């Protein structure tokens, strides 16, 4: 997506002066950014910089201490917000898949649509099979998580999120628990989603993926967004000393 387009697109995620404390520890300090419809934003930075906490504030897995967060028109920073309603449009994919081991893949995918969206079993199953096909796992519907490789589990987790028909997908280090040879198959699915126009916020250490897929890169350190811009600006021509230092270690 080109910068000129962002001005005409809808803001999907609006963050202003976001703060997050755990007790007395301030983990997020005055974070402000807007994420537009169809934009792929990759968040990078050292461990402990606040990346995952930032992501978790976008669907209220973490309470917001201060500032404003509006996602798809829902003001998450309002104490009276209906969390379940706000989360309906947001898919989340975690580092460790979070699949239910006692259910097969199909049941993992249909559980939330049946319980939360009140879909019929047939409708939920039809959607689930479509989503499994989309991530290349339609032959694994009756398998249990223990029978899948790490990459397959993560693709199943992505399919599960897609079954809720989200407008926005959040990915929290989706490949960091995988063996190196399985990383590619998960990134491939994410690339496809990006090409299809899904709004995505991705915390990752995969710099090659960030260069290829991101519209914008945010570099976080010490609870701040230190630098943001296109992949070319942030990854190839960083201006801030802290960004340069970090990239020298990881690239």
């Amino acid at each position: 997506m080109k910068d000129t387009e962002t001005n005409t697109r809808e803001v999907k995620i609006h963050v202003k002066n976001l703060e997050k404390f755990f007790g007395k520890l301030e983990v997020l300090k005055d974070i402000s950014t807007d994420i537009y419809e169809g934009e792929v934003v990759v968040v990078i930075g050292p461990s402990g910089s606040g990346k995952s906490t930032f992501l978790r504030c976008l669907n209220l897995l973490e309470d917001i201490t201060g500032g404003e967060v509006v996602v798809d028109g829902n003001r998450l920073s309002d104490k009276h917000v209906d969390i379940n309603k706000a989360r309906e449009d947001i898919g989340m994919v975690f580092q460790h898949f979070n699949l239910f081991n006692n259910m097969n893949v199909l049941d993992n995918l249909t559980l939330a649509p049946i319980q939360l969206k009140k879909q019929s079993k047939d409708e939920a199953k039809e959607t689930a099979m479509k989503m499994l096909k989309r991530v290349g796992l339609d032959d694994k519907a009756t398998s249990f998580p223990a029978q899948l490789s790490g990459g397959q589990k993560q693709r199943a987790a992505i399919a599960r999120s897609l079954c809720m028909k989200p407008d926005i997908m959040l990915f929290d280090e989706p490949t960091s628990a995988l063996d190196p040879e399985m990383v590619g198959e998960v990134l491939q699915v994410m690339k496809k989603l990006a090409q299809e126009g899904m709004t995505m916020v991705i915390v990752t250490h995969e710099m090659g993926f960030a260069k290829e897929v991101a519209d914008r890169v945010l570099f976080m350190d010490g609870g701040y967004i230190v630098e943001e811009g296109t992949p070319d600006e942030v990854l190839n021509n960083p201006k801030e000393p802290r960004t340069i230092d970090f990239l020298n270690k990881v690239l």
Side-chain angles (χ1 to χ4, degrees):
M1 189 181 67
K2 305 294 169 277
D3 288 348
T4 47
E5 285 180 39
T6 52
N7 305 329
T8 57
R9 293 204 178 196
E10 181 191 346
V11 173
K12 294 297 267 184
I13 301 173
H14 168 69
V15 180
K16 192 171 181 198
N17 310 125
L18 169 63
E19 293 178 325
K20 173 63 186 172
F21 282 84
F22 289 109
K24 288 191 172 153
L25 178 68
E26 190 175 15
V27 181
L28 296 178
K29 305 166 186 175
D30 198 25
I31 300 270
S32 295
T33 191
D34 283 336
I35 293 165
Y36 293 85
E37 185 178 6
E39 194 177 18
V40 178
V41 174
V42 171
V43 186
I44 63 169
S47 294
S49 58
K51 308 182 299 289
S52 289
T53 303
F54 169 59
L55 203 65
R56 291 168 72 88
C57 285
L58 300 182
N59 68 352
L60 285 183
L61 284 175
E62 296 293 354
D63 294 332
I64 292 160
T65 310
E68 185 176 62
V69 179
V70 183
V71 178
D72 241 357
N74 294 298
R75 193 173 294 277
L76 305 191
S77 38
D78 179 351
K79 297 288 180 237
H80 306 295
V81 70
D82 178 345
I83 292 182
N84 293 330
K85 175 95 185 68
R87 280 194 191 135
E88 268 181 13
D89 296 335
I90 311 169
M92 176 98 180
V93 176
F94 300 89
Q95 191 173 344
H96 292 291
F97 332 123
N98 292 16
L99 295 168
F100 295 110
N101 290 321
N102 59 335
M103 294 180 178
N104 69 23
V105 169
L106 189 61
D107 289 342
N108 263 287
L109 268 63
T110 57
L111 182 69
I114 290 169
Q115 288 193 348
L116 300 176
K117 292 219 160 175
K118 305 295 180 226
Q119 286 181 5
S120 70
K121 278 189 177 166
D122 287 347
E123 188 189 353
K125 186 177 171 183
E126 189 185 339
T127 302
M129 288 309 296
K130 265 190 207 154
M131 296 310 162
L132 285 173
K133 190 165 188 181
R134 207 165 156 186
V135 301
L137 282 181
D138 41 333
D139 58 336
K140 298 291 184 191
T142 57
S143 300
F144 283 80
Q147 297 169 302
L148 303 179
S149 70
Q152 288 170 333
K153 284 180 195 171
Q154 195 56 292
R155 284 188 282 148
I158 293 171
R160 179 182 55 184
S161 278
L162 292 173
C163 283
M164 294 297 282
K165 304 191 172 135
D167 286 344
I168 298 163
M169 289 279 281
L170 308 177
F171 293 86
D172 190 8
E173 301 199 15
T175 58
S176 61
L178 299 178
D179 293 332
E181 70 268 23
M182 290 171 189
V183 169
E185 66 191 68
V186 173
L187 295 181
Q188 206 52 48
V189 168
M190 292 167 65
K191 278 179 201 167
K192 204 165 133 202
L193 285 177
Q195 286 158 2
E196 289 165 7
M198 176 69 77
T199 307
M200 295 159 71
V201 186
I202 304 162
V203 171
T204 186
H205 295 290
E206 299 289 338
M207 297 298 155
F209 174 75
K211 280 183 182 174
E212 198 179 334
V213 177
D215 295 302
R216 192 152 44 106
V217 176
L218 308 183
F219 171 68
M220 287 185 69
D221 188 42
Y224 293 100
I225 294 176
V226 175
E227 189 161 354
E228 68 176 297
T230 64
D232 188 50
E233 287 164 346
V234 176
L235 300 176
N236 297 336
N237 304 288
K239 294 183 176 58
E240 296 295 327
R242 187 64 197 92
T243 318
I244 293 166
D245 181 48
F246 172 76
L247 291 171
N248 281 340
K249 287 175 182 153
V250 299
L251 286 180

